[in-house]
């Protein structure tokens, strides 16, 4: 088989465009910096595994080296096992400042045998108060599971092991702010929040169980990195960035309904006591 110069050029350009917008399953040494914890955040196995630890002195955390403005981002986590009451493992995207945007996964620990609570939130221009909470349909401490964020100009979709659990649509045309102009870093931290995390703070952290450890692997980002005011996707081919226009079809919507029917334990959009003057406007439009 022979290749024309035009075919070869197109192939090379396509490859370079895909490389600009996508990052292979991550090496934590190359993709992240440990930001706090005085050695409690550790990168192991030649960059393939990262662990965060919490003891009575301190928790720990890390942050991506890159900023992203839209992306399809996966991370596998294995949460603190046993009696994890009082601990919070947070994994989220966020920009900076009082008007920041943010997309949250927070895993609230519990007593041995009781389920973790997955707490999610979306902030736009510094305003959150969009909490949805779920139980998981598996034990997140026994093995690694994949927690994903699809963030594009159309919507934000949070997924667990490929099953969508939540969607926040772009409803700017209805006057509802949407995260679209502030690049975000990826953060994660393991910290003590026993004043609120487990049963509203009734259950405190059992420090005899410390250190508490959460583990991370297989980071993957098909994403637009943001450098010096420009996006890596601005010159990329559309075929490599199909996720930028991806949205949930009827199957995905059905799976969200299944999760929310069977595993959702709190939804701000049904909390009329919290919002006596009326539910947030997106609740009636979603």
């Amino acid at each position: 088989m022979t290749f024309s110069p035009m075919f070869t050029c197109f192939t090379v350009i396509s490859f370079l465009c895909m490389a600009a917008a996508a990052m292979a399953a991550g090496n934590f040494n190359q993709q992240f910096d440990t930001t706090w914890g005085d050695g409690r955040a550790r990168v192991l196995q030649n960059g393939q595994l990262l662990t965060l630890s919490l003891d009575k002195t301190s928790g720990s955390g890390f942050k991506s080296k890159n900023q992203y403005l839209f992306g399809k981002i996966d991370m596998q986590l294995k949460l603190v096992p046993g009696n994890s009451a009082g601990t919070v493992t947070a994994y989220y995207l966020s920009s900076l400042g009082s008007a920041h945007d943010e997309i949250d996964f927070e895993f609230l620990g519990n007593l041995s045998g009781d389920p973790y609570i997955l707490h999610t939130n979306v902030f736009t221009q510094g305003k959150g108060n969009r909490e949805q909470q779920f139980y998981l349909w598996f034990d997140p401490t026994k093995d690694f599971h994949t927690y994903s964020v699809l963030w594009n100009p159309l919507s934000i979709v949070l997924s667990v092991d490929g099953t969508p659990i939540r969607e926040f649509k772009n409803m700017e045309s209805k006057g509802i702010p949407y995260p679209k102009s502030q690049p975000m870093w990826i953060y994660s931290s393991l910290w003590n929040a026993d004043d609120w995390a487990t049963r509203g703070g009734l259950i405190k952290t059992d420090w005899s169980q410390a250190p508490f450890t959460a583990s991370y692997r297989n980071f993957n980002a098909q994403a637009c990195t943001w450098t010096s005011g420009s996006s890596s996707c601005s010159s990329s081919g559309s075929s490599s960035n199909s996720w930028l226009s991806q949205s949930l079809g009827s199957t995905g919507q059905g799976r969200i309904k299944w999760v929310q029917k069977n595993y959702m334990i709190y939804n701000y959009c049904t909390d009329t006591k919290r919002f006596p003057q009326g539910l947030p406007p997106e609740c009636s439009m979603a």
Side-chain angles (χ1 to χ4, degrees), residues 124-172:
T124 59
Q125 299 178 12
K127 181 181 179 298
N129 298 327
R130 297 185 176 99
E131 298 90 348
Q132 291 182 351
Q133 294 183 337
F134 306 83
Y135 288 139
L136 295 166
W137 48 95
F138 53 83
D139 183 343
T141 73
K142 297 295 186 185
D143 203 351
F144 286 89
H145 292 270
T146 304
Y147 303 92
S148 305
V149 176
L150 171 63
W151 169 37
N152 65 27
L154 301 176
S155 64
I156 295 164
V157 179
L158 304 183
S159 300
V160 177
D161 286 340
T163 295
I165 64 169
R166 176 174 189 173
E167 181 182 35
F168 183 79
K169 294 181 179 179
N170 185 338
M171 293 178 278
E172 283 187 308

Side-chain angles (χ1 to χ4, degrees), residues 193-254:
D194 67 2
D195 57 333
W196 66 271
T198 306
R199 301 184 191 175
L202 293 176
I203 308 298
K204 301 301 183 182
T205 304
D206 180 359
W207 293 111
S208 71
Q209 304 297 311
F212 303 98
T213 301
S215 302
Y216 302 74
R217 72 180 187 189
N218 289 349
F219 167 71
N220 187 72
Q222 301 175 62
C224 303
T225 57
W226 186 263
T227 307
S228 301
S230 64
S231 168
S232 64
C233 292
S234 58
S235 60
S236 297
S238 59
S239 62
S240 65
N241 297 331
S242 58
W243 56 267
L244 267 170
S245 57
Q246 184 177 337
S247 60
L248 286 179
S250 58
T251 300
Q253 295 290 351

